[in-house]
mmCIF file of all heavy atoms in Angstrom:
data_model
loop_
_atom_site.group_PDB
_atom_site.id
_atom_site.type_symbol
_atom_site.label_atom_id
_atom_site.label_comp_id
_atom_site.label_asym_id
_atom_site.label_seq_id
_atom_site.Cartn_x
_atom_site.Cartn_y
_atom_site.Cartn_z
ATOM 1 N N ILE P 1 23.198 44.889 -4.111
ATOM 2 C CA ILE P 1 23.892 46.110 -3.704
ATOM 3 C C ILE P 1 23.806 47.107 -4.858
ATOM 4 O O ILE P 1 24.357 46.846 -5.932
ATOM 5 C CB ILE P 1 25.368 45.862 -3.378
ATOM 6 C CG1 ILE P 1 25.489 44.807 -2.279
ATOM 7 C CG2 ILE P 1 26.056 47.122 -2.935
ATOM 8 C CD1 ILE P 1 26.932 44.417 -2.008
ATOM 9 N N SER P 2 23.074 48.170 -4.633
ATOM 10 C CA SER P 2 22.920 49.182 -5.652
ATOM 11 C C SER P 2 22.389 48.549 -6.914
ATOM 12 O O SER P 2 21.340 47.924 -6.924
ATOM 13 C CB SER P 2 24.231 49.931 -5.891
ATOM 14 O OG SER P 2 24.025 51.002 -6.797
ATOM 15 N N GLU P 3 23.168 48.648 -8.007
ATOM 16 C CA GLU P 3 22.712 48.102 -9.280
ATOM 17 C C GLU P 3 23.380 46.744 -9.572
ATOM 18 O O GLU P 3 23.235 46.217 -10.678
ATOM 19 C CB GLU P 3 23.000 49.069 -10.392
ATOM 20 C CG GLU P 3 22.257 50.408 -10.271
ATOM 21 C CD GLU P 3 22.560 51.336 -11.420
ATOM 22 O OE1 GLU P 3 23.410 50.982 -12.258
ATOM 23 O OE2 GLU P 3 21.929 52.412 -11.489
ATOM 24 N N THR P 4 24.080 46.198 -8.604
ATOM 25 C CA THR P 4 24.741 44.903 -8.823
ATOM 26 C C THR P 4 24.053 43.833 -7.992
ATOM 27 O O THR P 4 23.386 44.112 -7.006
ATOM 28 C CB THR P 4 26.219 44.969 -8.452
ATOM 29 O OG1 THR P 4 26.337 45.234 -7.047
ATOM 30 C CG2 THR P 4 26.930 46.050 -9.218
ATOM 31 N N CYS P 5 24.220 42.602 -8.417
ATOM 32 C CA CYS P 5 23.616 41.479 -7.708
ATOM 33 C C CYS P 5 24.572 40.303 -7.722
ATOM 34 O O CYS P 5 25.144 39.951 -8.768
ATOM 35 C CB CYS P 5 22.310 41.115 -8.384
ATOM 36 S SG CYS P 5 21.462 39.700 -7.630
ATOM 37 N N SER P 6 24.763 39.700 -6.556
ATOM 38 C CA SER P 6 25.595 38.507 -6.435
ATOM 39 C C SER P 6 24.704 37.366 -5.981
ATOM 40 O O SER P 6 23.750 37.553 -5.212
ATOM 41 C CB SER P 6 26.723 38.730 -5.417
ATOM 42 O OG SER P 6 27.574 39.771 -5.828
ATOM 43 N N GLU P 7 25.020 36.166 -6.405
ATOM 44 C CA GLU P 7 24.251 35.019 -5.980
ATOM 45 C C GLU P 7 25.161 33.787 -5.821
ATOM 46 O O GLU P 7 26.200 33.709 -6.454
ATOM 47 C CB GLU P 7 23.122 34.710 -6.953
ATOM 48 C CG GLU P 7 23.572 34.304 -8.338
ATOM 49 C CD GLU P 7 22.431 34.015 -9.281
ATOM 50 O OE1 GLU P 7 21.461 34.810 -9.345
ATOM 51 O OE2 GLU P 7 22.497 32.981 -9.991
ATOM 52 N N THR P 8 24.758 32.871 -4.981
ATOM 53 C CA THR P 8 25.478 31.649 -4.777
ATOM 54 C C THR P 8 24.479 30.520 -4.485
ATOM 55 O O THR P 8 23.437 30.769 -3.874
ATOM 56 C CB THR P 8 26.506 31.755 -3.623
ATOM 57 O OG1 THR P 8 27.187 30.511 -3.512
ATOM 58 C CG2 THR P 8 25.840 32.091 -2.306
ATOM 59 N N TRP P 9 24.819 29.321 -4.919
ATOM 60 C CA TRP P 9 23.931 28.166 -4.754
ATOM 61 C C TRP P 9 24.490 27.171 -3.755
ATOM 62 O O TRP P 9 25.689 27.036 -3.614
ATOM 63 C CB TRP P 9 23.731 27.432 -6.085
ATOM 64 C CG TRP P 9 22.938 28.159 -7.098
ATOM 65 C CD1 TRP P 9 23.424 29.020 -8.064
ATOM 66 C CD2 TRP P 9 21.520 28.131 -7.251
ATOM 67 N NE1 TRP P 9 22.369 29.499 -8.823
ATOM 68 C CE2 TRP P 9 21.181 28.973 -8.346
ATOM 69 C CE3 TRP P 9 20.483 27.482 -6.603
ATOM 70 C CZ2 TRP P 9 19.901 29.182 -8.776
ATOM 71 C CZ3 TRP P 9 19.189 27.664 -7.005
ATOM 72 C CH2 TRP P 9 18.893 28.505 -8.089
ATOM 73 N N SER P 10 23.583 26.518 -3.067
ATOM 74 C CA SER P 10 23.986 25.405 -2.185
ATOM 75 C C SER P 10 24.154 24.139 -3.016
ATOM 76 O O SER P 10 23.947 24.134 -4.236
ATOM 77 C CB SER P 10 22.920 25.175 -1.130
ATOM 78 O OG SER P 10 21.770 24.561 -1.715
ATOM 79 N N ASN P 11 24.473 23.071 -2.349
ATOM 80 C CA ASN P 11 24.404 21.729 -2.949
ATOM 81 C C ASN P 11 22.911 21.366 -3.152
ATOM 82 O O ASN P 11 22.022 22.100 -2.740
ATOM 83 C CB ASN P 11 25.069 20.690 -2.079
ATOM 84 C CG ASN P 11 24.391 20.615 -0.695
ATOM 85 O OD1 ASN P 11 24.176 21.627 -0.028
ATOM 86 N ND2 ASN P 11 23.993 19.423 -0.291
ATOM 87 N N GLU P 12 22.660 20.227 -3.756
ATOM 88 C CA GLU P 12 21.305 19.705 -3.909
ATOM 89 C C GLU P 12 21.112 18.547 -2.918
ATOM 90 O O GLU P 12 21.985 17.715 -2.722
ATOM 91 C CB GLU P 12 21.092 19.169 -5.317
ATOM 92 C CG GLU P 12 21.114 20.258 -6.408
ATOM 93 C CD GLU P 12 20.883 19.699 -7.793
ATOM 94 O OE1 GLU P 12 20.437 18.513 -7.872
ATOM 95 O OE2 GLU P 12 21.134 20.401 -8.763
ATOM 96 N N PHE P 13 19.946 18.527 -2.295
ATOM 97 C CA PHE P 13 19.530 17.403 -1.436
ATOM 98 C C PHE P 13 18.284 16.766 -2.054
ATOM 99 O O PHE P 13 17.319 17.454 -2.377
ATOM 100 C CB PHE P 13 19.233 17.847 -0.027
ATOM 101 C CG PHE P 13 18.586 16.742 0.802
ATOM 102 C CD1 PHE P 13 19.338 15.700 1.288
ATOM 103 C CD2 PHE P 13 17.193 16.733 1.012
ATOM 104 C CE1 PHE P 13 18.726 14.693 2.008
ATOM 105 C CE2 PHE P 13 16.617 15.746 1.724
ATOM 106 C CZ PHE P 13 17.361 14.715 2.232
ATOM 107 N N CYS P 14 18.292 15.431 -2.205
ATOM 108 C CA CYS P 14 17.162 14.701 -2.737
ATOM 109 C C CYS P 14 16.599 13.751 -1.728
ATOM 110 O O CYS P 14 17.367 12.945 -1.129
ATOM 111 C CB CYS P 14 17.556 13.933 -4.004
ATOM 112 S SG CYS P 14 17.931 15.001 -5.432
ATOM 113 N N ALA P 15 15.330 13.816 -1.471
ATOM 114 C CA ALA P 15 14.618 12.885 -0.611
ATOM 115 C C ALA P 15 13.905 11.877 -1.504
ATOM 116 O O ALA P 15 13.054 12.245 -2.324
ATOM 117 C CB ALA P 15 13.611 13.626 0.280
ATOM 118 N N ILE P 16 14.274 10.597 -1.377
ATOM 119 C CA ILE P 16 13.677 9.546 -2.167
ATOM 120 C C ILE P 16 12.923 8.621 -1.207
ATOM 121 O O ILE P 16 13.525 7.992 -0.331
ATOM 122 C CB ILE P 16 14.735 8.746 -2.962
ATOM 123 C CG1 ILE P 16 15.556 9.696 -3.799
ATOM 124 C CG2 ILE P 16 14.063 7.700 -3.837
ATOM 125 C CD1 ILE P 16 16.717 9.027 -4.535
ATOM 126 N N PHE P 17 11.614 8.527 -1.410
ATOM 127 C CA PHE P 17 10.794 7.782 -0.473
ATOM 128 C C PHE P 17 10.800 6.306 -0.773
ATOM 129 O O PHE P 17 10.758 5.871 -1.934
ATOM 130 C CB PHE P 17 9.343 8.280 -0.524
ATOM 131 C CG PHE P 17 9.152 9.604 0.184
ATOM 132 C CD1 PHE P 17 9.405 10.793 -0.463
ATOM 133 C CD2 PHE P 17 8.747 9.619 1.486
ATOM 134 C CE1 PHE P 17 9.217 11.986 0.203
ATOM 135 C CE2 PHE P 17 8.581 10.827 2.178
ATOM 136 C CZ PHE P 17 8.838 12.021 1.520
ATOM 137 N N ALA P 18 10.862 5.490 0.293
ATOM 138 C CA ALA P 18 10.775 4.060 0.145
ATOM 139 C C ALA P 18 9.333 3.629 -0.060
ATOM 140 O O ALA P 18 8.421 4.333 0.368
ATOM 141 C CB ALA P 18 11.319 3.373 1.420
ATOM 142 N N PRO P 19 9.078 2.519 -0.718
ATOM 143 C CA PRO P 19 7.707 2.095 -0.972
ATOM 144 C C PRO P 19 6.993 1.687 0.327
ATOM 145 O O PRO P 19 7.631 1.168 1.255
ATOM 146 C CB PRO P 19 7.875 0.888 -1.893
ATOM 147 C CG PRO P 19 9.239 0.366 -1.597
ATOM 148 C CD PRO P 19 10.063 1.554 -1.263
ATOM 149 N N THR P 20 5.692 1.915 0.346
ATOM 150 C CA THR P 20 4.861 1.500 1.466
ATOM 151 C C THR P 20 3.651 0.760 0.911
ATOM 152 O O THR P 20 3.175 1.070 -0.191
ATOM 153 C CB THR P 20 4.380 2.700 2.306
ATOM 154 O OG1 THR P 20 3.627 3.596 1.464
ATOM 155 C CG2 THR P 20 5.553 3.457 2.909
ATOM 156 N N ALA P 21 3.169 -0.187 1.689
ATOM 157 C CA ALA P 21 1.970 -0.939 1.259
ATOM 158 C C ALA P 21 1.308 -1.601 2.477
ATOM 159 O O ALA P 21 1.973 -2.321 3.219
ATOM 160 C CB ALA P 21 2.324 -2.013 0.230
ATOM 161 N N PHE P 22 0.065 -1.292 2.692
ATOM 162 C CA PHE P 22 -0.718 -1.882 3.771
ATOM 163 C C PHE P 22 -2.006 -2.460 3.155
ATOM 164 O O PHE P 22 -2.628 -1.797 2.324
ATOM 165 C CB PHE P 22 -1.065 -0.855 4.858
ATOM 166 C CG PHE P 22 0.160 -0.162 5.418
ATOM 167 C CD1 PHE P 22 0.583 1.042 4.888
ATOM 168 C CD2 PHE P 22 0.873 -0.707 6.454
ATOM 169 C CE1 PHE P 22 1.714 1.710 5.395
ATOM 170 C CE2 PHE P 22 1.999 -0.105 6.946
ATOM 171 C CZ PHE P 22 2.424 1.119 6.423
ATOM 172 N N TYR P 23 -2.364 -3.671 3.583
ATOM 173 C CA TYR P 23 -3.531 -4.338 2.999
ATOM 174 C C TYR P 23 -4.566 -4.620 4.063
ATOM 175 O O TYR P 23 -4.237 -4.991 5.191
ATOM 176 C CB TYR P 23 -3.100 -5.671 2.352
ATOM 177 C CG TYR P 23 -2.460 -5.510 0.984
ATOM 178 C CD1 TYR P 23 -1.068 -5.385 0.861
ATOM 179 C CD2 TYR P 23 -3.214 -5.446 -0.176
ATOM 180 C CE1 TYR P 23 -0.484 -5.234 -0.385
ATOM 181 C CE2 TYR P 23 -2.640 -5.313 -1.417
ATOM 182 C CZ TYR P 23 -1.270 -5.199 -1.511
ATOM 183 O OH TYR P 23 -0.692 -5.020 -2.748
ATOM 184 N N PRO P 24 -5.848 -4.516 3.669
ATOM 185 C CA PRO P 24 -6.921 -4.869 4.606
ATOM 186 C C PRO P 24 -6.979 -6.389 4.792
ATOM 187 O O PRO P 24 -6.479 -7.157 3.934
ATOM 188 C CB PRO P 24 -8.183 -4.344 3.913
ATOM 189 C CG PRO P 24 -7.859 -4.389 2.455
ATOM 190 C CD PRO P 24 -6.379 -4.047 2.365
ATOM 191 N N ASN P 25 -7.610 -6.846 5.865
ATOM 192 C CA ASN P 25 -7.737 -8.298 6.109
ATOM 193 C C ASN P 25 -9.068 -8.834 5.596
ATOM 194 O O ASN P 25 -9.338 -10.042 5.702
ATOM 195 C CB ASN P 25 -7.553 -8.643 7.570
ATOM 196 C CG ASN P 25 -8.520 -7.902 8.497
ATOM 197 O OD1 ASN P 25 -9.528 -7.349 8.007
ATOM 198 N ND2 ASN P 25 -8.201 -7.847 9.759
ATOM 199 N N ALA P 26 -9.916 -7.968 5.026
ATOM 200 C CA ALA P 26 -11.216 -8.422 4.478
ATOM 201 C C ALA P 26 -11.711 -7.410 3.483
ATOM 202 O O ALA P 26 -11.376 -6.204 3.564
ATOM 203 C CB ALA P 26 -12.214 -8.639 5.585
ATOM 204 N N PHE P 27 -12.532 -7.859 2.524
ATOM 205 C CA PHE P 27 -13.226 -6.921 1.627
ATOM 206 C C PHE P 27 -14.487 -7.607 1.131
ATOM 207 O O PHE P 27 -14.647 -8.813 1.238
ATOM 208 C CB PHE P 27 -12.311 -6.489 0.477
ATOM 209 C CG PHE P 27 -12.080 -7.493 -0.599
ATOM 210 C CD1 PHE P 27 -12.514 -7.263 -1.899
ATOM 211 C CD2 PHE P 27 -11.415 -8.687 -0.336
ATOM 212 C CE1 PHE P 27 -12.280 -8.176 -2.905
ATOM 213 C CE2 PHE P 27 -11.195 -9.601 -1.360
ATOM 214 C CZ PHE P 27 -11.650 -9.347 -2.637
ATOM 215 N N SER P 28 -15.403 -6.799 0.614
ATOM 216 C CA SER P 28 -16.712 -7.312 0.198
ATOM 217 C C SER P 28 -17.069 -6.780 -1.196
ATOM 218 O O SER P 28 -17.637 -5.694 -1.309
ATOM 219 C CB SER P 28 -17.791 -6.890 1.201
ATOM 220 O OG SER P 28 -17.790 -5.482 1.352
ATOM 221 N N PRO P 29 -16.711 -7.520 -2.245
ATOM 222 C CA PRO P 29 -16.979 -7.026 -3.608
ATOM 223 C C PRO P 29 -18.426 -7.187 -4.012
ATOM 224 O O PRO P 29 -18.753 -8.006 -4.915
ATOM 225 C CB PRO P 29 -16.031 -7.923 -4.444
ATOM 226 C CG PRO P 29 -15.919 -9.185 -3.658
ATOM 227 C CD PRO P 29 -15.956 -8.781 -2.215
ATOM 228 N N ASN P 30 -19.327 -6.462 -3.382
ATOM 229 C CA ASN P 30 -20.748 -6.549 -3.713
ATOM 230 C C ASN P 30 -21.268 -5.310 -4.431
ATOM 231 O O ASN P 30 -22.464 -5.082 -4.519
ATOM 232 C CB ASN P 30 -21.556 -6.774 -2.433
ATOM 233 C CG ASN P 30 -21.262 -5.715 -1.381
ATOM 234 O OD1 ASN P 30 -20.624 -4.693 -1.656
ATOM 235 N ND2 ASN P 30 -21.705 -5.949 -0.140
ATOM 236 N N ARG P 31 -20.360 -4.498 -4.890
ATOM 237 C CA ARG P 31 -20.684 -3.310 -5.702
ATOM 238 C C ARG P 31 -21.553 -2.295 -5.000
ATOM 239 O O ARG P 31 -22.347 -1.605 -5.638
ATOM 240 C CB ARG P 31 -21.352 -3.735 -7.017
ATOM 241 C CG ARG P 31 -20.453 -4.623 -7.891
ATOM 242 C CD ARG P 31 -21.123 -4.927 -9.211
ATOM 243 N NE ARG P 31 -20.275 -5.816 -10.029
ATOM 244 C CZ ARG P 31 -20.583 -6.229 -11.258
ATOM 245 N NH1 ARG P 31 -21.751 -5.859 -11.800
ATOM 246 N NH2 ARG P 31 -19.768 -7.006 -11.933
ATOM 247 N N ASP P 32 -21.359 -2.207 -3.668
ATOM 248 C CA ASP P 32 -22.076 -1.156 -2.940
ATOM 249 C C ASP P 32 -21.248 0.096 -2.780
ATOM 250 O O ASP P 32 -21.648 1.058 -2.118
ATOM 251 C CB ASP P 32 -22.549 -1.683 -1.581
ATOM 252 C CG ASP P 32 -21.386 -2.034 -0.667
ATOM 253 O OD1 ASP P 32 -20.203 -1.977 -1.110
ATOM 254 O OD2 ASP P 32 -21.616 -2.350 0.528
ATOM 255 N N GLY P 33 -20.052 0.065 -3.381
ATOM 256 C CA GLY P 33 -19.196 1.261 -3.284
ATOM 257 C C GLY P 33 -18.378 1.329 -2.030
ATOM 258 O O GLY P 33 -17.671 2.331 -1.809
ATOM 259 N N ILE P 34 -18.497 0.327 -1.152
ATOM 260 C CA ILE P 34 -17.758 0.316 0.120
ATOM 261 C C ILE P 34 -16.886 -0.924 0.170
ATOM 262 O O ILE P 34 -17.413 -2.042 0.170
ATOM 263 C CB ILE P 34 -18.729 0.374 1.318
ATOM 264 C CG1 ILE P 34 -19.650 1.598 1.237
ATOM 265 C CG2 ILE P 34 -17.954 0.368 2.632
ATOM 266 C CD1 ILE P 34 -20.715 1.610 2.306
ATOM 267 N N ASN P 35 -15.589 -0.727 0.245
ATOM 268 C CA ASN P 35 -14.638 -1.827 0.404
ATOM 269 C C ASN P 35 -14.841 -2.913 -0.669
ATOM 270 O O ASN P 35 -14.855 -4.112 -0.367
ATOM 271 C CB ASN P 35 -14.795 -2.444 1.800
ATOM 272 C CG ASN P 35 -13.542 -3.170 2.255
ATOM 273 O OD1 ASN P 35 -12.445 -2.886 1.774
ATOM 274 N ND2 ASN P 35 -13.706 -4.088 3.181
ATOM 275 N N ASP P 36 -15.002 -2.472 -1.930
ATOM 276 C CA ASP P 36 -15.327 -3.414 -2.995
ATOM 277 C C ASP P 36 -14.081 -4.100 -3.595
ATOM 278 O O ASP P 36 -14.239 -5.096 -4.303
ATOM 279 C CB ASP P 36 -16.058 -2.706 -4.119
ATOM 280 C CG ASP P 36 -17.544 -2.544 -3.814
ATOM 281 O OD1 ASP P 36 -18.091 -3.318 -3.056
ATOM 282 O OD2 ASP P 36 -18.129 -1.565 -4.348
ATOM 283 N N ILE P 37 -12.889 -3.570 -3.351
ATOM 284 C CA ILE P 37 -11.689 -4.133 -3.965
ATOM 285 C C ILE P 37 -10.628 -4.365 -2.897
ATOM 286 O O ILE P 37 -10.649 -3.765 -1.835
ATOM 287 C CB ILE P 37 -11.134 -3.222 -5.079
ATOM 288 C CG1 ILE P 37 -10.805 -1.838 -4.523
ATOM 289 C CG2 ILE P 37 -12.103 -3.131 -6.245
ATOM 290 C CD1 ILE P 37 -10.115 -0.930 -5.518
ATOM 291 N N PHE P 38 -9.735 -5.266 -3.230
ATOM 292 C CA PHE P 38 -8.588 -5.556 -2.371
ATOM 293 C C PHE P 38 -7.372 -4.845 -3.002
ATOM 294 O O PHE P 38 -6.870 -5.219 -4.052
ATOM 295 C CB PHE P 38 -8.331 -7.060 -2.315
ATOM 296 C CG PHE P 38 -7.139 -7.466 -1.509
ATOM 297 C CD1 PHE P 38 -7.144 -7.301 -0.137
ATOM 298 C CD2 PHE P 38 -6.047 -8.042 -2.102
ATOM 299 C CE1 PHE P 38 -6.029 -7.684 0.631
ATOM 300 C CE2 PHE P 38 -4.935 -8.429 -1.345
ATOM 301 C CZ PHE P 38 -4.945 -8.246 0.037
ATOM 302 N N ALA P 39 -6.946 -3.745 -2.382
ATOM 303 C CA ALA P 39 -5.943 -2.899 -2.958
ATOM 304 C C ALA P 39 -5.006 -2.386 -1.881
ATOM 305 O O ALA P 39 -5.412 -2.257 -0.716
ATOM 306 C CB ALA P 39 -6.562 -1.738 -3.720
ATOM 307 N N PRO P 40 -3.763 -2.052 -2.240
ATOM 308 C CA PRO P 40 -2.821 -1.542 -1.220
ATOM 309 C C PRO P 40 -3.119 -0.102 -0.845
ATOM 310 O O PRO P 40 -3.578 0.704 -1.653
ATOM 311 C CB PRO P 40 -1.478 -1.649 -1.938
ATOM 312 C CG PRO P 40 -1.816 -1.486 -3.393
ATOM 313 C CD PRO P 40 -3.147 -2.158 -3.559
#
């Protein structure tokens, strides 16, 4: 408003993600660059 300024803050909301992990049922460590490791 003109040369004045007012401000107000809300509360804080934090989203904390739960861990996820999915694993393949097969892999082929033959160093061809495709599916070489078993990783989540």
Side-chain angles (χ1 to χ4, degrees):
I1 303 176
S2 184
E3 297 181 356
T4 63
C5 179
S6 300
E7 63 180 47
T8 181
W9 289 92
S10 73
N11 62 308
E12 295 180 13
F13 169 78
C14 291
I16 305 176
F17 284 85
T20 59
F22 304 94
Y23 282 92
N25 57 16
F27 75 117
S28 56
N30 54 12
R31 299 184 180 181
D32 64 354
I34 302 174
N35 204 23
D36 280 333
I37 58 174
F38 179 67

